[in-house]
Amino acid sequence: MAVSEPVRVRRIHDPAEDDDGTRVLVDRLWPRGVSKERAAVDVWLKDVTPSDELRSWYHQDRSGARHDVFVERYRTELDDPAHTEAVARLVGLVREGGAVTLITAVKDVEDSHVPVLVDHLKHVMKRT
């Protein structure tokens, strides 16, 4: 099954839409000022997110100079046993059929962990 269509990415502040399918929060921390009702999140997978250490390291330098190293380290973390169960759960949601929407509070989604996660998901789906 291809991942490109069934997996969408939306910011938590975007209103939920009928075609979102299963809404999965992929942030380690709950977004400030957002109620659970307003977020309309079905699943919160904290363990598919970067570790606190990696996230803090990446955010110490806002210039973007650390992005490539961040991507490499995050990919390594996603293959670590601490993350594989949550990744497998996400793969299962995609394979169940229907849309899956990854929800995040990050402002700059393209420069965050989310595209790395989507890419990792594609690779896992091809391998299994």
Side-chain angles (χ1 to χ4, degrees):
M1 170 183 243
V3 176
S4 57
E5 270 309 301
V7 175
R8 300 177 182 133
V9 176
R10 294 173 132 312
R11 292 198 62 241
I12 192 105
H13 299 291
D14 297 337
E17 295 188 7
D18 292 339
D19 63 350
D20 280 349
T22 303
R23 291 172 54 91
V24 181
L25 181 62
V26 293
D27 289 345
R28 185 158 295 272
L29 305 173
W30 187 266
R32 288 184 184 178
V34 178
S35 69
K36 292 186 181 196
E37 294 77 27
R38 185 169 148 241
V41 168
D42 300 303
V43 179
W44 184 10
L45 290 178
K46 296 178 193 179
D47 289 336
V48 297
T49 66
S51 65
D52 287 335
E53 178 183 86
L54 180 58
R55 184 175 49 84
S56 294
W57 172 84
Y58 183 51
H59 291 295
Q60 285 173 1
D61 181 358
R62 298 287 184 172
S63 72
R66 295 182 174 190
H67 183 75
D68 291 342
V69 175
F70 167 78
V71 169
E72 182 180 318
R73 288 181 181 176
Y74 181 41
R75 286 176 199 249
T76 300
E77 282 190 356
L78 286 169
D79 283 330
D80 185 87
H83 289 72
T84 54
E85 185 178 323
V87 170
R89 184 162 181 213
L90 187 53
V91 167
L93 290 171
V94 173
R95 287 200 168 136
E96 284 176 7
V100 173
T101 302
L102 304 182
I103 305 298
T104 184
V106 298
K107 291 179 183 175
D108 185 2
V109 175
E110 291 302 315
D111 204 27
S112 74
H113 68 287
V114 178
V116 181
L117 177 59
V118 170
D119 186 59
H120 182 76
L121 188 58
K122 289 177 185 179
H123 289 301
V124 169
M125 299 279 295
K126 285 180 185 176
R127 288 190 309 225
T128 58

